[in-house]
Amino acid sequence: MNVTLPEIDRLKLAETDKTKSVTILGSTGSIGCNTLDLVSRDREKFTLKALTANKNVAKLAEQAIEFDAELAVIADDRLLGALKEALSGSDVRAAAGESGLNEAANMDADWVMSSIVGAAGLKPTLTAVRRGATIALANKECLVCAGGFMMEQVKDYGATILPVDSEHNAIFQIFDFEHPETIDKITLTASGGPFWNTNVAKLADITPQQAVNHPNWSMGAKISVDSATMMNKGLELIEAYYLFPVGKEQLDILIHPQSIIHSMVSYVDGSVLAQLGTPDMRTPISYALGWPDRMETPCKKLDLAEIGNLSFVKPDDEHFPSLKITREVLQNGGSAPTILNASNEVAVYAFLEGKIGFLDIAKIVEKTLTKLSFHKVTSLDDVHEVDEHARHAALELVTGMSK
Ligand code: NDP
């Protein structure tokens, strides 16, 4: 359990209230592009330090030139030449590989968006943590794979974590950090993805195209599949446990297909506070980007009369086995969440490549968890070792199941 209430020194912020320098780890993705969209609407307020991508040289170079970034980093170091060429004639410096990502995370940006997808986001985020940075955390894998260790480092190095995931951002807005003892429970709402009311018998035939077609949110492919299996909500349950000072038994999940209520906090007196808004990631991103102030966004304003009804359904484990798996993983703790995350990543990409079926994703995760033993995670090397073993075990299962 950790308290991440950031210290708000408005006086100090006012003194330095010129521009906010920004680094985006994973700028070419869905979260990265939404962040740059917000930055583009108030260019006077922000300067760009570093932008990073994995392979998308063209988009990275275009962004870096448009936003006049100091550094552009391509994680795949074979593409450094192509990046240099795409940046020629500009003042943007190019770098690549792990050292490049590390350099980007180490630059003295006032605000770092951690939006690399998957476990690959861990190292650069930890680098930013270790320089005591203010980090807008979209990458949920940081907390899922290494939650205890990561939050200890946040405390030790005086970093600040601003949750970006819409549910955690919602809770961050309504949680009484000064009186956590007055909180009865946290309810993470879930859209339920595209299949929450699909007959269980039909789930086996779901195609990748159907799974990435999220009804409410526009997101990257991996997280869209996670939404469809509801593994995303399971990962968020683990994430919430590390972000907010509540017990495991105080975390609940509720399907809310309209995605208007982004999460709720119930207090001991019976009051329930909720954060509402149209489903657009620019709202939670803006809350973190403007923090401790609010910013204007172009998001559609909420019109409850137009929506008419908000509905809620209790999720069932038969439909969504990943929820049961993640609850068990949260109870086990230690390296179990790392194994869960790694095996899920392998299974989701295998599904997207058409190698396994939709229902095989949860099966692979469950089998990988039973194959490997759990222990306390004490370092990033430890996390990587567990991650590697789990990926290897999951890949073997994928090979065995391949269609
Ligand atoms: P995307 O797949 O759209 O973007 C991922 C970004 O990470 C891209 O910039 C990509 O570069 C980069 N990247 C991918 N692999 C690597 C790697 N091995 N090393 C370095 N960089 C890499 O993901 P999203 O923006 O959807 O999600 C980002 C994170 O935010 C995820 O952890 C997700 O769970 C979380 N999140 C996302 C939400 C959303 O609405 N999208 C909501 C809440 C949380 P390239 O373009 O070159 O591939």
Side-chain angles (χ1 to χ4, degrees):
M1 228 192 306
N2 294 278
V3 187
T4 58
L5 174 65
E7 302 260 328
I8 304 179
D9 189 343
R10 284 176 189 276
L11 216 60
K12 200 165 135 209
L13 285 161
E15 273 169 19
T16 54
D17 192 22
K18 287 169 255 132
T19 57
K20 195 178 260 187
S21 56
V22 167
T23 281
I24 305 177
L25 304 170
S27 64
T28 51
S30 167
I31 294 284
C33 290
N34 275 322
T35 308
L36 283 174
D37 177 75
L38 291 169
V39 167
S40 74
R41 290 164 197 274
D42 206 345
R43 289 296 298 274
E44 304 274 283
K45 252 196 195 147
F46 303 101
T47 55
L48 263 294
K49 287 275 183 191
L51 297 176
T52 81
N54 187 27
K55 291 182 188 296
N56 196 341
V57 168
K59 197 168 195 172
L60 175 64
E62 185 192 313
Q63 291 176 335
I65 292 169
E66 184 188 341
F67 288 90
D68 204 15
E70 285 179 32
L71 177 70
V73 178
I74 196 81
D76 185 336
D77 48 17
R78 293 166 300 183
L79 297 171
L80 180 60
L83 180 62
K84 280 186 175 162
E85 198 175 312
L87 292 170
S88 65
S90 78
D91 291 334
V92 186
R93 205 158 48 79
E98 201 178 306
S99 61
L101 287 177
N102 199 44
E103 187 185 349
N106 238 335
M107 284 173 90
D108 61 345
D110 298 322
W111 188 90
V112 178
M113 167 56 84
S114 164
S115 57
I116 289 174
V117 66
L122 246 119
K123 239 185 192 162
T125 307
L126 187 61
T127 300
V129 165
R130 285 179 170 166
R131 71 167 183 82
T134 296
I135 300 160
L137 189 67
N139 174 290
K140 59 190 75 189
E141 292 82 359
C142 277
L143 293 181
V144 173
C145 299
F149 170 71
M150 192 61 93
M151 294 313 287
E152 270 168 29
Q153 298 278 301
V154 165
K155 217 180 267 174
D156 290 352
Y157 289 88
T160 298
I161 298 290
L162 305 171
V164 169
D165 221 344
S166 60
E167 296 75 5
H168 306 80
N169 186 269
I171 298 161
F172 186 57
Q173 294 190 40
I174 55 183
F175 194 98
D176 186 350
F177 285 95
E178 279 173 24
H179 303 103
E181 72 286 357
T182 61
I183 281 138
D184 179 31
K185 69 168 179 175
I186 284 177
T187 304
L188 299 171
T189 51
S191 68
F195 314 124
W196 68 271
N197 57 358
T198 301
N199 192 304
V200 181
K202 292 196 173 144
L203 291 179
D205 301 324
I206 298 294
T207 66
Q209 289 72 24
Q210 290 169 312
V212 297
N213 194 11
H214 196 279
N216 305 343
W217 298 94
S218 160
M219 306 184 288
K222 156 78 171 46
I223 187 172
S224 296
V225 175
D226 284 344
S227 276
T229 58
M230 274 191 81
M231 179 58 87
N232 184 47
K233 212 47 56 179
L235 300 179
E236 287 175 4
L237 200 76
I238 298 171
E239 202 185 350
Y241 173 68
Y242 288 113
L243 281 170
F244 305 108
V246 293
K248 293 168 184 168
E249 67 296 341
Q250 287 174 286
L251 295 165
D252 203 3
I253 293 173
L254 190 63
I255 293 179
H256 163 47
Q258 295 83 10
S259 297
I260 296 300
I261 296 179
H262 299 307
S263 275
M264 296 178 264
V265 176
S266 306
Y267 286 84
V268 287
D269 63 359
S271 299
V272 179
L273 301 193
Q275 187 262 350
L276 284 73
T278 50
D280 187 326
M281 279 309 293
R282 288 175 298 183
T283 298
I285 295 171
S286 77
Y287 189 80
L289 183 59
W291 183 88
D293 300 318
R294 287 187 189 267
M295 304 170 47
E296 270 192 42
T297 73
C299 303
K300 187 173 185 282
K301 298 281 187 277
L302 183 60
D303 182 343
L304 284 173
E306 187 190 323
I307 293 162
N309 291 303
L310 299 181
S311 54
F312 306 93
V313 181
K314 214 173 160 48
D316 77 277
D317 290 347
E318 194 197 353
H319 221 108
F320 297 111
S322 43
L323 289 181
K324 185 170 160 275
I325 298 172
T326 45
R327 272 198 212 94
E328 283 169 9
V329 159
L330 184 61
Q331 284 306 329
N332 281 309
S335 56
T338 320
I339 298 168
L340 170 95
N341 181 69
S343 55
N344 181 56
E345 265 188 50
V346 168
V348 168
Y349 287 114
F351 167 68
L352 285 169
E353 287 162 15
K355 291 180 182 158
I356 59 168
F358 184 71
L359 293 178
D360 294 334
I361 299 174
K363 282 183 197 152
I364 283 176
V365 173
E366 199 166 24
K367 283 189 180 162
T368 311
L369 281 160
T370 48
K371 260 182 147 184
L372 304 176
S373 56
F374 311 141
H375 64 266
K376 187 173 170 4
V377 169
T378 52
S379 69
L380 202 56
D381 285 345
D382 199 6
V383 172
H384 283 301
E385 202 175 306
V386 173
D387 180 90
E388 215 169 284
H389 277 141
R391 276 170 207 275
H392 187 73
L395 265 174
E396 274 183 359
L397 290 164
V398 166
T399 310
M401 275 183 187
S402 285
K403 296 196 252 181

